[in-house]
Amino acid sequence: MRRSLALAILFASASSAAHAASLDVTASYKMKAASYSNLHYDTNDRNNHSFITNDARLGIAVRRIPLETRGGEDTTMDLGIVLRSLGVSGSTSSVASPFDRVASYYPNADLTPFIENAYLKVHRLWGYPWEATFGRQSYRLGGGLLLDDDGAGLTGASARGELPWWNMKVEGFIFNDRNPLHASAPNSLDLAGVSVDLPGEGVWQLNQLIERDRAQQTVYGCSYTGNPQANGCLVSKAVRSFTGLRYQISYGPMVFDGEAAMQKGYATPTGPNPAGNHITYNGNAQVVRMKWKQSLWKTGQGIARMSVARGTGDDPGTATTDEAFFPSRGHRHNGLERTGFGELFAATAYDAFGGNFSTTTKSGLRNGASGLVVVGAGYTPPAYKGVTLDIDFFLYQAERISSGSRTLGTEWDLRLRYPIRDQLQLAATMAYFRAGKFTDPGRSVARKYAFEASGRF
């Protein structure tokens, strides 16, 4: 009798613990047919591409596994894994330039599944309002100007919690990865930082990121006596520090998101040392996005938006200082295509599909250009029978150039979207890019056409 009673109590306890946890299964798939023309912005070497990309995810997570109770609060744990598969089919059997640069950010790009996430997350660690995540995880710092895993995942640890003053929140992280801009070994990239949120009339966020990069690489625009490199300085180690400030506010129909950052640091040359025995980094960048929602008579709500982005370029007059703002893992990719300001040129504050995809520049811009300035404006009229039209215009300029016009080009984007609830979306995109005189003196035209279908649950 006593043994049966003990077994019944044990079974009831196990059942209660099992019911406290939950199993989540998520899946998503996106197919995109895209056609690009004149990606080199050169009528003699147009570099056209047409292909179909596949982007699939499968995630399994066990959530709220009970661990212990402290101070009347339960400490729980989540265990999760997400598999992702990226690949391309069409006119090429492998990912061709310039998309090979994008593919290098991911462990695989041949439809072989890779582990995007494999983590354990602890809620209310030690009974305090803290949340810690260990393992391979998705992570974005601020708005992504400084750091974003872009769906590849980052391995390490992060923790987020509340502070006892002014509703402040603090977050810290440390990750180890590789620099995707440099394929050859040795290649090790350590990322560490902290973020502090101060809510008020809007939210202020202070971000700090430190990169310790051990990949052998070239600092472009660098030169000194005895340096054997023609296009820059070869370095074996770089330490870069980024300090950023972000402000977000939603006030009635207006939404504002602004972020600014400074870059400092140094790099160690592999050859004869310059004066000071190192090469220094000194750059900055700013990104502002604004959106205004306005109800229109009888037709619904329209949305107007503006965006401005700027990243400093390298000053050729400073032989051992690199002023080009360039974080190694800033947000710039979405699957096997770039994402940024513009569907085709896809600019960030520091790089773009600029017509030069060789190893002579990190930014992708033509030789002689460094840093970017982007101004954009767009409008989304009220939806018609569930179909939404987005219209956007962008002007691109180089922050620094060797000579001549600074204009890199202009772009018009049209996008039709048809969402069905939150699970299915059909979209068609057209982008028209007119090269500026610096990009192509003949001012040639590049185009992009795309159709995509995406679903998730």
Side-chain angles (χ1 to χ4, degrees):
M1 178 71 71
R2 291 178 180 175
R3 182 176 300 175
S4 299
L5 182 59
L7 288 174
I9 294 173
L10 181 61
F11 179 77
S13 300
S15 296
S16 175
H19 285 299
S22 63
L23 177 66
D24 288 351
V25 178
T26 60
S28 67
Y29 175 74
K30 180 172 71 174
M31 186 209 74
K32 189 169 188 177
S35 175
Y36 290 83
S37 66
N38 195 25
L39 276 174
H40 279 164
Y41 314 123
D42 184 350
T43 54
N44 296 318
D45 181 17
R46 300 184 62 85
N47 192 28
N48 301 335
H49 290 289
S50 296
F51 50 79
I52 297 175
T53 61
N54 299 276
D55 186 348
R57 279 188 174 98
L58 176 63
I60 300 174
V62 182
R63 305 191 186 280
R64 302 295 175 180
I65 302 170
L67 298 179
E68 63 177 359
T69 300
R70 286 195 180 189
E73 297 286 348
D74 291 334
T75 299
T76 62
M77 178 178 65
D78 300 345
L79 292 175
I81 184 168
V82 177
L83 300 178
R84 189 176 188 187
S85 178
L86 296 171
V88 60
S89 60
S91 62
T92 56
S93 58
S94 60
V95 182
S97 175
F99 305 99
D100 56 345
R101 271 198 175 190
V102 183
S104 68
Y105 274 67
Y106 299 94
N108 295 303
D110 57 358
L111 274 179
T112 301
F114 62 86
I115 296 177
E116 179 182 348
N117 292 166
Y119 64 88
L120 64 87
K121 180 183 293 186
V122 183
H123 303 272
R124 297 199 64 84
L125 186 63
W126 300 307
Y128 294 102
W130 282 84
E131 180 180 279
T133 306
F134 305 93
R136 192 160 186 86
Q137 56 195 277
S138 299
Y139 194 87
R140 171 182 283 196
L141 179 62
L145 175 66
L146 303 180
L147 176 63
D148 195 321
D149 74 294
D150 279 342
L154 293 168
T155 301
S158 65
R160 181 176 178 83
E162 300 176 5
L163 296 177
W165 315 285
W166 308 303
N167 295 320
M168 294 175 63
K169 295 180 175 62
V170 64
E171 185 170 356
F173 61 90
I174 182 168
F175 300 115
N176 177 259
D177 203 76
R178 61 185 179 88
N179 192 328
L181 297 171
H182 309 284
S184 59
N187 192 334
S188 178
L189 179 66
D190 294 329
L191 303 164
V194 65
S195 177
V196 179
D197 291 357
L198 177 60
E201 190 174 353
V203 178
W204 291 95
Q205 185 179 70
L206 177 65
N207 299 315
Q208 180 66 46
L209 169 67
I210 296 176
E211 297 182 356
R212 186 179 180 185
D213 189 355
R214 298 183 184 89
Q216 184 168 284
Q217 58 196 272
T218 300
V219 177
Y220 297 103
C222 168
S223 63
Y224 57 88
T225 303
N227 175 37
Q229 299 293 315
N231 296 321
C233 304
L234 194 64
V235 302
S236 58
K237 182 178 70 173
V239 176
R240 293 178 283 264
S241 172
F242 299 87
T243 303
L245 182 65
R246 187 187 187 194
Y247 179 67
Q248 296 174 283
I249 187 171
S250 180
Y251 186 78
M254 185 194 74
V255 178
F256 176 89
D257 187 351
E259 188 170 7
M262 297 185 301
Q263 175 184 353
K264 300 290 184 179
Y266 64 91
T268 304
T270 59
N273 290 337
N277 297 322
H278 60 265
I279 297 157
T280 58
Y281 296 97
N282 184 20
N284 60 81
Q286 304 82 35
V287 177
V288 173
R289 293 180 175 91
M290 295 174 287
K291 184 165 60 176
W292 180 277
K293 301 177 182 179
Q294 181 65 51
S295 297
L296 302 176
W297 184 64
K298 289 188 177 181
T299 57
Q301 187 181 72
I303 302 174
R305 54 190 167 271
M306 290 189 63
S307 54
V308 179
R310 171 189 171 271
T312 53
D314 182 54
D315 182 359
T318 55
T320 58
T321 300
D322 184 5
E323 290 86 0
F325 182 89
F326 207 105
S328 300
R329 296 301 302 260
H331 177 52
R332 55 170 72 90
H333 299 130
N334 181 17
L336 292 180
E337 292 189 290
R338 281 186 57 93
T339 183
F341 296 99
E343 287 285 339
L344 195 154
F345 203 68
T348 67
Y350 33 85
D351 65 350
F353 270 175
N356 180 4
F357 314 117
S358 68
T359 58
T360 56
T361 67
K362 286 197 300 185
S363 66
L365 304 179
R366 299 283 189 188
N367 290 323
S370 183
L372 281 112
V373 178
V374 182
V375 178
Y379 180 68
T380 300
Y384 178 73
K385 293 186 177 181
V387 178
T388 302
L389 171 65
D390 301 320
I391 307 169
D392 290 278
F393 173 79
F394 297 95
L395 168 66
Y396 308 101
Q397 289 189 328
E399 208 272 334
R400 290 184 183 272
I401 60 166
S402 55
S403 62
S405 171
R406 295 172 53 197
T407 301
L408 301 172
T410 58
E411 180 173 326
W412 283 97
D413 294 340
L414 299 177
R415 181 178 174 87
L416 286 171
R417 296 180 286 116
Y418 182 65
I420 301 177
R421 300 181 65 180
D422 194 35
Q423 278 72 43
L424 174 66
Q425 177 170 278
L426 306 176
T429 304
M430 188 278 288
Y432 177 92
F433 177 84
R434 167 74 72 174
K437 287 189 176 180
F438 185 89
T439 302
D440 178 15
R443 304 206 60 197
S444 60
V445 170
R447 294 180 176 88
K448 173 186 176 181
Y449 301 97
F451 172 80
E452 67 178 74
S454 60
R456 65 178 184 177
F457 79 92

